[in-house]
Amino acid sequence: SAELPLHFRTGSFLPNLSRDCKEGRLITPLQTLPHEKQRYRVIIRKKEQRKKMKFQLSTLSLLSLLSTVVDGCTVFIAGKDATIDGSVLVSHSNDGEFTTDPRLVKVPAADYAPNSQRPIYFSPEEYPRYVGTERNVPEYFPKEGQKSFEPIGYIPQVSHTYAYLEQTYGAINEKQVAIGESTCSGVFGAVPLGHPDGTALLSIDELSKIAMERASTARSAVEIMGALAEEYGFYGAGSFEGTAESLGVTDTNEAYIFHILPDPTGKSAIWTAQRVPDHHFAVLANIFVIREVDPSDTDNFLMSKSVHDVAMDKGWWDPNDGKLLDFTGIYSDGESSHKFYNGRRMWRSYDLVAPSLSLPYDYEDLKIYSPYPVSLEPEYKLSVYNLTTMHRD
């Protein structure tokens, strides 16, 4: 039960993990710290400005080393009316074992001349995730024996990019847009450019970083990532968990669930996003969760045209049936490793926040059936303590 230090600063920050968050400050003792390590991030949105933070973020971000072995990337999302102080919460546990690059770095804001190009790099999903000087991050400068990464392609650069924090994925920017990530199975895969038979330029790593650079709201982050993936192609990590991705995307006001996978050509993408109601809680556990998508409900759904076009071309969905398209039912490839790998995390999380619902802990096929909702209303207001406790559960 030894105390673990917190080595993370954005300007001034809290020195250790022996306290929890209430009203933006860590004050409650942690209960236990077993010997194995877990890595996860919890991002707490605060409306008031914090003068001590270099970013002038009205946000508190925790990167913590906690103690239970992580067997999957799990994301929790809580809307502003589901939390004790009106914050929007998003978290991310990382199952990268001991090969994922653990560094948390600050990428500075930058200005660019007209017609500049942004280089895109292959995402190795291990240390080092990037080597070079182009991003002006000293932690990435070449060390002895290292060579700078070569781009696999380029996209047009914008005139100004925001400052942000990143790990393997973009974490949070100066506008308080934040992301939690969970790899998913998908029915299509793609190969990155620069590899034999490569067709796709963008990974979720690069998409999330570009979103941090360019987006001032969660909705705009979704739109930016979706549009770029459609134009330049998307490839997944290709791990045992799958070739697709799911993100929790938040700002100080709202939250979205974002799903993406390659299209059948490997040169574009299929994606959708659903807004999480302000009074709801959601969990992403390495599997798609968005079900019926309604293109007419533009307040709550965003999606690529390919969502419906591909399903119709494959004979998987017929608009004449009068039913909305089931995104998970059509585009998920099911649970990643075995029954319960994904669903048991979903059940436990929802059972902790809404126990009176008595959601079933057993189920048949998680892809075909819907034993758990996309999101639900918790039976009590949530804090960062609740999210960290659920990650350790």
Side-chain angles (χ1 to χ4, degrees):
S1 298
E3 182 176 278
L4 294 177
L6 177 64
H7 301 296
F8 167 39
R9 290 184 174 272
T10 55
S12 299
F13 207 72
L14 299 160
N16 59 58
L17 289 176
S18 64
R19 292 160 290 179
D20 185 48
C21 180
K22 183 177 181 182
E23 299 299 326
R25 294 173 33 233
L26 294 177
I27 58 174
T28 306
L30 291 174
Q31 295 177 345
T32 59
L33 291 172
H35 298 297
E36 300 295 332
K37 293 181 179 179
Q38 175 184 6
R39 195 163 51 248
Y40 71 87
R41 177 176 75 242
V42 176
I43 299 168
I44 307 160
R45 214 67 78 244
K46 297 296 291 180
K47 292 181 180 178
E48 66 271 14
Q49 290 288 334
R50 295 188 179 281
K51 296 181 180 179
K52 293 183 179 180
M53 300 180 76
K54 291 181 180 178
F55 270 55
Q56 294 299 302
L57 295 171
S58 48
T59 300
L60 176 62
S61 301
L62 256 84
L63 172 70
S64 54
L65 292 175
L66 286 185
S67 46
T68 305
V69 172
V70 181
D71 294 320
C73 289
T74 308
V75 173
F76 298 138
I77 303 166
K80 61 184 179 182
D81 294 336
T83 63
I84 60 172
D85 60 0
S87 301
V88 178
L89 307 183
V90 63
S91 72
H92 168 208
S93 60
N94 190 340
D95 65 351
E97 301 297 337
F98 300 102
T99 61
T100 302
D101 189 335
R103 293 174 293 176
L104 177 72
V105 303
K106 176 183 176 181
V107 180
D111 296 300
Y112 298 91
N115 302 317
S116 294
Q117 296 287 298
R118 186 200 188 278
I120 303 295
Y121 298 94
F122 171 69
S123 302
E125 298 288 328
E126 60 186 17
Y127 179 90
R129 61 175 169 259
Y130 169 71
V131 177
T133 59
E134 180 271 333
R135 304 183 66 198
N136 197 27
V137 177
E139 289 86 351
Y140 292 151
F141 291 172
K143 299 176 177 59
E144 185 176 355
Q146 291 182 335
K147 293 183 179 180
S148 294
F149 284 15
E150 294 292 333
I152 61 172
Y154 295 85
I155 64 173
Q157 182 60 281
V158 294
S159 61
H160 178 78
T161 55
Y162 300 126
Y164 65 100
L165 301 178
E166 73 169 28
Q167 299 179 73
T168 299
Y169 316 99
I172 185 168
N173 73 6
E174 62 180 283
K175 298 297 183 179
Q176 300 188 75
V177 177
I179 285 175
E181 179 274 344
S182 188
T183 301
C184 300
S185 69
V187 295
F188 303 122
V191 178
L193 292 173
H195 291 67
D197 301 318
T199 56
L201 179 62
L202 295 164
S203 67
I204 203 65
D205 308 34
E206 285 286 68
L207 283 174
S208 65
K209 293 168 187 175
I210 295 169
M212 293 294 101
E213 295 168 4
R214 303 182 179 191
S216 58
T217 66
R219 189 179 180 94
S220 64
V222 167
E223 293 170 335
I224 288 167
M225 291 187 290
L228 288 173
E230 286 185 72
E231 183 173 358
Y232 295 99
F234 169 79
Y235 67 92
S239 67
F240 78 95
E241 288 167 332
T243 57
E245 288 287 345
S246 186
L247 303 178
V249 187
T250 64
D251 57 31
T252 58
N253 186 57
E254 60 181 356
Y256 288 84
I257 296 169
F258 175 76
H259 293 339
I260 187 169
L261 72 158
D263 80 337
T265 71
K267 297 179 180 180
S268 188
I270 302 166
W271 66 272
T272 190
Q274 181 172 346
R275 189 180 186 277
V276 178
D278 293 338
H279 61 294
H280 272 210
F281 166 84
V283 56
L284 308 176
N286 296 116
I287 193 168
F288 290 156
V289 298
I290 296 175
R291 288 291 178 173
E292 290 76 19
V293 293
D294 185 354
S296 67
D297 183 2
T298 55
D299 289 337
N300 292 298
F301 291 95
L302 299 90
M303 67 198 73
S304 60
K305 188 172 179 291
S306 57
V307 167
H308 293 87
D309 289 349
V310 171
M312 287 189 290
D313 289 345
K314 296 290 185 181
W316 296 339
W317 176 74
D318 185 348
N320 296 319
D321 289 341
K323 297 179 179 179
L324 294 174
L325 182 145
D326 180 346
F327 189 91
T328 295
I330 288 178
Y331 292 115
S332 172
D333 201 30
E335 292 198 78
S336 305
S337 180
H338 54 76
K339 182 182 178 181
F340 302 131
Y341 177 79
N342 310 92
R344 186 51 55 88
R345 281 180 277 156
M346 297 171 67
W347 165 77
R348 180 57 174 162
S349 303
Y350 285 141
D351 191 59
L352 286 170
V353 302
S356 70
L357 294 180
S358 299
L359 293 172
Y361 61 83
D362 198 3
Y363 52 85
E364 294 184 43
D365 190 320
L366 201 58
K367 168 188 165 106
I368 297 174
Y369 303 102
S370 304
Y372 311 116
V374 177
S375 63
L376 55 71
E377 183 174 1
E379 294 174 4
Y380 53 91
K381 297 293 186 179
L382 301 172
S383 71
V384 68
Y385 177 78
N386 302 123
L387 270 63
T388 56
T389 299
M390 286 191 288
H391 273 292
R392 295 202 306 271
D393 184 84

